[in-house]
Amino acid sequence: MLTLAIETAGNACSIALLETTHIIAERHENVGRGHAERLIPWIAELPGGGRADRIIVGCGPGSFTGVRIGIAAARALGLGWGVPVTGVSSLALLAAQCPADEFVVAAEGGHGELLVQHYRQNPFRAEGGFASLDPENAGKAMRAEMVVGEGAARLIAARGYGIYFPAEARAANVRLLPPEVMTLTPTPLYGRAPDAKPI
């Protein structure tokens, strides 16, 4: 079975075409902005135009714009190809490579906050929901020594201890996750309310 994986919730624009757990092709770049301009052309450059039997897309939490870009593209391709589209937490994609049995994922959120969630391996699972917190409160809430993600340094500094494990939310990391983690409805997961308010 061919799987197209898409992750655009963070600074990276990340795609991968996989056959079961084998990576046929992938592209992953920290672009900051411009996911929308890159995503579809990158997919078109994959073997077979990226056409797959299913699509898995990172649903966030993360950038409001990035999350929506990835999900919109996944839904459109799924409709056009007539294939199922399911979602996965972008924090799970960060957590996938961590070897520790117990750890915290810390991603950069909006307004100086951190998106944090507690995870365990063996078996892989999230413990409790994710939260968007300032570093001080994130440090109080998340006590596991190992910290994964681009927000790890700030979390460790805020609480004064910890071990940083470098990892990125790569689309290809879906091959490392158990199937039950990748069954979310492909709708956005936001860490906090939008800044724009209706008037």
Side-chain angles (χ1 to χ4, degrees):
M1 173 184 285
L2 290 179
T3 299
L4 174 64
I6 299 170
E7 165 59 14
T8 56
N11 287 329
C13 188
S14 188
I15 60 171
L17 185 65
L18 306 102
E19 186 167 13
T20 315
T21 59
H22 171 68
I23 300 173
I24 297 171
E26 76 167 314
R27 188 160 182 184
H28 177 94
E29 291 182 22
N30 286 306
V31 299
R33 296 179 181 272
H35 297 73
E37 293 80 6
R38 291 171 172 84
L39 184 57
I40 296 300
W42 284 10
I43 291 171
E45 292 171 2
L46 292 171
R51 185 156 189 158
D53 302 304
R54 65 172 181 167
I55 302 170
I56 299 174
V57 61
C59 294
S63 156
F64 284 97
T65 303
V67 168
R68 297 181 76 86
I69 288 166
I71 290 174
R75 286 176 166 175
L77 291 171
L79 182 64
W81 295 342
V83 300
V85 179
T86 58
V88 62
S89 166
S90 298
L91 299 183
L93 290 174
L94 262 174
Q97 293 176 291
C98 186
D101 181 57
E102 182 181 3
F103 58 97
V104 174
V105 169
E108 292 291 348
H111 297 276
E113 294 185 346
L114 296 173
L115 296 163
V116 292
Q117 191 165 19
H118 189 258
Y119 276 85
R120 284 188 179 272
Q121 298 277 13
N122 306 314
F124 181 92
R125 64 197 184 278
E127 292 201 330
F130 65 84
S132 182
L133 302 169
D134 64 77
E136 182 179 354
N137 285 312
K140 292 175 181 177
M142 300 288 160
R143 309 302 295 177
E145 186 174 32
M146 182 78 75
V147 187
V148 177
E150 70 272 16
R154 290 208 297 141
L155 178 60
I156 290 170
R159 67 186 192 182
Y161 71 92
I163 300 169
Y164 168 54
F165 180 81
E168 293 183 284
R170 304 185 78 95
N173 284 354
V174 299
R175 74 193 192 283
L176 305 174
L177 294 172
E180 61 270 18
V181 174
M182 299 178 287
T183 58
L184 298 179
T185 301
T187 55
L189 297 173
Y190 296 131
R192 57 195 305 278
D195 296 327
K197 305 291 183 186
I199 55 173

